[in-house]
Amino acid sequence: MRLNAVVAHGLPDVGIRERGFSAVELVVVLAVIGTVAVAAFPSFLNYWHLAAVQAGARELASVMNLGRQLAIAGKTSVCVDVTGVRVRLRLGGCSGALWTGAVTDAAGVLTISDPATLQISSNARVVFTALGAATPSATYVVTHARTRVSRAVVVAASGRVSVE
């Protein structure tokens, strides 16, 4: 009688079998989701490492641009001294005074993020002039320590800093 009352009010007649999913259907869906997750994980991991290297390269480029702006604003030369993932800015050339600011620690060191996995190599020390030019032009390579994925930060003689 109760089913007849439900059908009489215009609601569909729902049987006991059609109220939810069976255990077999749930297991199949979970197996498909698990297979897709396992197949996608290596791609996600590669993306994660590439993003870390890209972020490190952009951070190094920002520090280089900070050195250039300090040189222009202070009308002096600024040496960018990169050692490992630690960067120091020296006012007045490579033997000048260390610059300290809000982004440095007490010793004047700016640390590129993720120092455990990133490595930075260079072919020269860049000195920005009071006009913003760089002498000599240089290339810094930011490399992921485990995967060896790398990005180059190029400082042109004009002072332009780019990530390639």
Side-chain angles (χ1 to χ4, degrees):
M1 175 139 170
R2 181 172 270 205
L3 281 177
N4 290 338
V6 170
V7 174
H9 292 307
L11 297 175
D13 184 13
V14 179
I16 293 175
R17 284 269 300 139
E18 298 179 18
R19 288 189 185 167
F21 299 106
S22 69
V24 173
E25 291 169 332
L26 289 175
V27 167
V28 168
V29 168
L30 290 176
V32 169
I33 290 172
T35 304
V36 169
V38 166
F41 186 72
S43 295
F44 174 74
L45 200 56
N46 287 338
Y47 169 77
W48 187 269
H49 294 150
L50 182 63
V53 170
Q54 187 71 17
R58 287 183 180 167
E59 191 173 357
L60 179 61
S62 294
V63 171
M64 293 288 176
N65 280 320
L66 173 63
R68 182 175 188 223
Q69 292 304 315
L70 287 171
I72 294 169
K75 297 180 183 169
T76 186
S77 60
V78 173
C79 178
V80 181
D81 185 17
V82 178
T83 307
V85 292
R86 298 167 46 128
V87 182
R88 288 188 173 137
L89 303 175
R90 295 184 178 275
L91 303 175
C94 290
S95 60
L98 284 173
W99 176 79
T100 56
V103 293
T104 65
D105 61 11
V109 174
L110 292 105
T111 303
I112 303 300
S113 62
D114 204 7
T117 57
L118 297 180
Q119 300 169 343
I120 300 173
S121 61
S122 171
N123 62 354
R125 287 166 89 183
V126 173
V127 178
F128 289 103
T129 66
L131 297 175
T135 56
S137 57
T139 301
Y140 294 86
V141 179
V142 179
T143 306
H144 193 277
R146 190 172 60 80
T147 63
R148 310 310 298 166
V149 173
S150 63
R151 287 288 181 262
V153 177
V154 179
V155 182
S158 65
R160 181 174 185 261
V161 180
S162 60
V163 177
E164 297 178 358

